Amino acid sequence: MISFENVSKVFAGGNTAVDQLSLEVPDGRLTVFVGSSGSGKSTALRMINRMVEPTSGTIRVDGADVAGVDPVKLRLGIGYVIQNAGLMPHQRVIDNVATVPVLKGEPRRAARKAAYEVLERVGLDAKLATRYPAQLSGGEQQRVGVARALAADPPILLMDEPFSAIDPVVRHELQNEILRLQSELQKTIVFVTHDIDEALKLADQVAVFGRGGVLQQYDEPAHLLSRPANNFVARFIGLGRGYRWLQLIDASALPMHDIERISLSTLTDGSAICAAQAWALVVDDEGVPLGWIDSDGVRRYRGGAPLSDSISTVGSQLRPGGNLSQALDAALSSPSFVGIAVDRDGKVIGGVLADDVLAAVQSQRRD
Ligand SMILES: Nc1ncnc2c1ncn2[C@@H]1O[C@H](COP(=O)(O)OP(=O)(O)OP(=O)(O)O)[C@@H](O)[C@H]1O
Ligand SMILES: [Mg+2]
């Protein structure tokens, strides 16, 4: 456990970055520090591994005051990931990842071998290992940054806006990757972001920092939404507070509705009937959706138009483990307003309706 006890940091010139911070970061959980720019999140994080020394107060890791622990030793047990990954530009990816194990005295060859395993764990192709950081995309570099922090298998990971410079699609992938890794590894993670959606998605608990480095609320995501401690927190969560609930509720309890399916082969041989239903879903032989089709589309296709001109592309889909936000998005992005739910292999298992999503939120919030 990491604990802050009345910790303040006043920089030269009298600027208070962190003001009387007291909170406990539990073991094996993901804790997010969120707040606007300049609210002291990074300073608070960097005091944990002594990159910044507090002006007053005590920080303990597993009960030991960090002020009494040699900073180099302390940091060997604490992984640190920053925006733009902070990789060493003149070292190949594999050597970047193996850095800390080598510093800890592991033979280089064994460290490299282990580094390949970690690269795989964070979803990177082994053939990237011999490249230099500049030869990777931003998202790949960020994965290397995470791999490097994990390589020494530290119990604690500090992550300071690791995904801020990444485009939204890759950012979602990396967030999912962190959740997957965390479910396997159960590290004690402190994650800094200014993005409230990222905080709500990743966190077991969220600390909201306000102006002058004052902690405004420390709570689990659902409580931030249902019981913001003050106007600052309510404003920080923003106008979308109502619909942010959707992200926090698992979609697995939604009723599944039938979707009329037409296999590509029956569409081709002309035996498909698509008259009664306005929209049907064209699926391949495996049951993977290809697109929605209506009677016009069937006519066009049989008249010789290519499939891609006859169907309406499949929008977002609800995948296993998805939340109500994804279910609603699937429903609203579908021309039939029936959202496609798929299994792990991408095969259709049924349809979800927007009405059911809203009913599920209401019943959940009444509980
Ligand atoms: N080394 C420093 N010397 C003086 N002031 C500093 C120093 N580092 C940070 N500060 C100040 O402390 C305050 C908090 O900074 P900090 O970097 O912790 O904020 P932050 O919440 O991480 O912001 P951001 O979201 O922009 O990264 C700011 O006012 C900043 O200007
Ligand atoms: Mg910062």
Side-chain angles (χ1 to χ4, degrees):
M1 189 173 73
I2 304 166
S3 68
F4 288 81
E5 297 161 20
N6 300 314
V7 173
S8 293
K9 177 65 189 181
V10 183
F11 282 109
N15 185 2
T16 301
V18 173
D19 197 1
Q20 293 288 320
L21 177 64
S22 292
L23 62 78
E24 287 182 352
V25 172
D27 283 342
R29 312 300 298 274
L30 198 156
T31 300
V32 172
F33 290 177
V34 74
S36 40
S37 188
S39 57
K41 307 177 296 292
S42 297
T43 303
L45 188 78
R46 291 155 67 94
M47 287 192 285
I48 298 171
N49 65 359
R50 295 195 64 186
M51 293 172 72
V52 173
E53 297 293 347
T55 310
S56 60
T58 308
I59 296 168
R60 292 179 201 279
V61 172
D62 294 333
D65 184 344
V66 295
V69 184
D70 173 49
V72 175
K73 238 185 223 145
L74 183 70
R75 285 171 209 159
L76 289 178
I78 302 181
Y80 184 50
V81 185
I82 54 175
Q83 191 177 334
N84 298 322
L87 301 174
M88 289 173 286
H90 304 299
Q91 287 196 356
R92 295 178 192 277
V93 163
I94 195 72
D95 293 314
N96 263 286
V97 174
T99 304
V100 178
V102 169
L103 281 178
K104 278 172 122 174
E106 223 176 279
R108 192 169 291 272
R109 183 184 291 228
R112 280 212 179 133
K113 187 161 171 285
Y116 272 102
E117 283 162 26
V118 187
L119 283 177
E120 193 186 330
R121 205 180 245 297
V122 301
L124 277 174
D125 198 312
K127 68 173 187 280
L128 300 184
T130 51
R131 293 202 197 157
Y132 290 96
Q135 299 169 318
L136 301 179
S137 75
E140 288 163 349
Q141 289 182 30
Q142 218 51 60
R143 284 178 197 260
V144 176
V146 173
R148 185 178 57 175
L150 289 174
D153 199 24
I156 297 173
L157 268 186
L158 308 181
M159 308 182 85
D160 194 349
E161 309 229 21
F163 308 146
S164 295
I166 309 285
D167 77 70
V169 173
V170 175
R171 188 170 181 162
H172 278 289
E173 282 171 23
L174 290 168
Q175 290 166 351
N176 292 338
E177 204 72 23
I178 285 294
L179 289 173
R180 185 184 61 76
L181 281 170
Q182 178 61 352
S183 70
E184 289 170 10
L185 304 175
Q186 273 126 36
K187 302 282 181 194
T188 304
I189 301 179
V190 186
F191 188 108
V192 167
T193 180
H194 56 255
D195 176 352
I196 185 69
D197 284 309
E198 185 165 75
L200 294 173
K201 175 173 178 178
L202 297 180
D204 292 307
Q205 56 280 314
V206 182
V208 183
F209 286 67
R211 280 172 71 93
V214 180
L215 180 65
Q216 303 290 318
Q217 185 165 4
Y218 185 42
D219 226 328
E220 56 188 78
H223 286 168
L224 280 191
L225 294 182
S226 61
R227 298 197 290 267
N230 54 39
N231 283 338
F232 177 90
V233 177
R235 270 204 314 277
F236 189 77
I237 295 171
L239 294 174
R241 181 149 69 95
Y243 72 70
R244 289 191 212 285
W245 271 105
L246 298 172
Q247 301 167 48
L248 296 186
I249 304 173
D250 189 87
S252 57
L254 281 182
M256 279 294 152
H257 298 268
D258 285 337
I259 295 183
E260 177 167 359
R261 296 171 224 188
I262 302 180
S263 72
L264 193 54
S265 41
T266 54
L267 187 65
T268 313
D269 71 20
S271 61
I273 304 152
C274 188
Q277 185 96 7
W279 289 98
L281 188 61
V282 181
V283 294
D284 70 8
D285 293 342
E286 304 287 314
V288 174
L290 300 172
W292 292 98
I293 197 162
D294 60 1
S295 44
D296 268 357
V298 173
R299 227 172 290 126
R300 273 202 302 280
Y301 186 68
R302 293 201 181 137
L307 183 67
S308 56
D309 291 349
S310 314
I311 58 176
S312 159
T313 357
V314 171
S316 59
Q317 301 170 31
L318 177 64
R319 298 182 182 283
N323 59 45
L324 290 186
S325 170
Q326 289 153 347
L328 186 61
D329 190 44
L332 296 181
S333 65
S334 156
S336 68
F337 291 109
V338 179
I340 303 169
V342 295
D343 66 12
R344 290 203 184 280
D345 301 322
K347 299 177 190 172
V348 182
I349 50 177
V352 290
L353 300 179
D355 283 349
D356 292 334
V357 170
L358 296 187
V361 183
Q362 284 165 6
S363 83
Q364 177 97 11
R365 290 200 51 192
R366 270 196 294 270
D367 293 345

